[in-house]
């Protein structure tokens, strides 16, 4: 009799854990304004992240700790009766560093090599960290029209 009760209790706690685990690990950051567009030659990605700078992250950044956001973008061609084909697999990173002596933020983006943005405003630095504009995903000649 006792093993059945233990088994039922264990099963009950397992179900509760599975039901509520997403809420325990949920993050506040969300992707918004995701736009996929094209130029004459390239497929481009535009997007924003909202809620990424929580209070602890803000304090760490203002204390001079470098902070990096990583973004992973994959593009697949979906095919019926065949495995999907990976067309592009891109990872980009944004890094913010605060210089306490100069009272300025330096934001670097891996997809803009050799270019850093310097600002005195933390709000502007947060905006630079949380947006991607005109990220080249793939050349249009690698895509098939209509698929």
């Amino acid at each position: 009799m006792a093993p059945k009760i233990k088994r039922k209790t264990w099963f009950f706690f397992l179900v509760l854990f599975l039901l509520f685990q997403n809420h325990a690990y949920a993050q506040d950051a969300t992707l918004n304004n995701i736009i996929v567009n094209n130029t004459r030659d390239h497929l481009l990605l535009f997007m924003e992240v909202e809620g990424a700078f929580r209070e602890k992250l803000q304090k760490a950044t203002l204390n001079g700790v470098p902070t990096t956001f990583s973004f992973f973008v994959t593009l697949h061609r979906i095919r019926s009766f065949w495995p999907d084909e990976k067309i592009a697999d891109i990872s980009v990173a944004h890094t913010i560093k605060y210089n306490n002596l100069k009272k300025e933020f330096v934001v670097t983006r891996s997809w803009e090599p050799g270019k850093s943005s310097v600002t005195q405003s933390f709000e502007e630095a947060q905006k630079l960290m949380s947006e991607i504009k005109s990220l080249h995903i793939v050349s249009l000649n690698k895509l098939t029209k209509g698929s």
Side-chain angles (χ1 to χ4, degrees):
M1 196 74 136
K4 281 188 176 183
I5 293 174
K6 287 182 183 180
R7 204 176 300 152
K8 286 182 183 179
T9 305
W10 182 81
F11 181 73
F12 176 73
F13 284 116
L14 178 66
V15 169
L16 281 178
F17 175 74
L18 292 175
L19 286 176
F20 293 109
Q21 74 175 351
N22 290 337
H23 298 290
Y25 298 111
Q27 298 291 324
D28 294 333
T30 58
L31 297 177
N32 290 329
N33 300 329
I34 300 172
I35 300 170
V36 178
N37 203 349
N38 66 298
T39 62
R40 191 186 75 197
D41 299 323
H42 293 90
L43 187 68
L44 305 175
L45 175 68
F46 300 80
M47 66 177 223
E48 297 174 357
V49 178
E50 288 188 10
F53 279 92
R54 291 196 245 157
E55 187 176 337
K56 287 183 181 181
L57 187 58
Q58 287 180 4
K59 286 181 183 178
T61 303
L62 292 172
N63 286 329
V65 177
T67 305
T68 301
F69 290 176
S70 298
F71 301 92
F72 304 100
V73 180
T74 58
L75 178 65
H76 292 267
R77 176 179 292 131
I78 299 174
R79 303 184 293 184
S80 53
F81 305 115
W82 292 99
D84 294 345
E85 177 186 5
K86 186 183 291 186
I87 299 171
D89 191 11
I90 301 170
S91 62
V92 295
H94 294 178
T95 303
I96 184 172
K97 295 178 187 175
Y98 181 60
N99 187 335
N100 287 327
L101 298 175
K102 295 181 180 178
K103 305 281 190 216
E104 65 185 15
F105 298 91
V106 179
V107 178
T108 56
R109 300 174 179 188
S110 64
W111 52 282
E112 294 175 341
K115 182 180 173 187
S116 295
S117 300
V118 180
T119 181
Q120 303 281 328
S121 168
F122 187 49
E123 289 78 23
E124 186 178 341
Q126 286 178 341
K127 183 178 179 186
L128 289 169
M129 283 290 290
S130 61
E131 68 183 10
I132 292 179
K133 289 185 176 179
S134 300
L135 176 65
H136 293 252
I137 302 298
V138 69
S139 296
L140 289 181
N141 61 7
K142 292 185 179 180
L143 301 176
T144 306
K145 188 174 183 176
S147 66

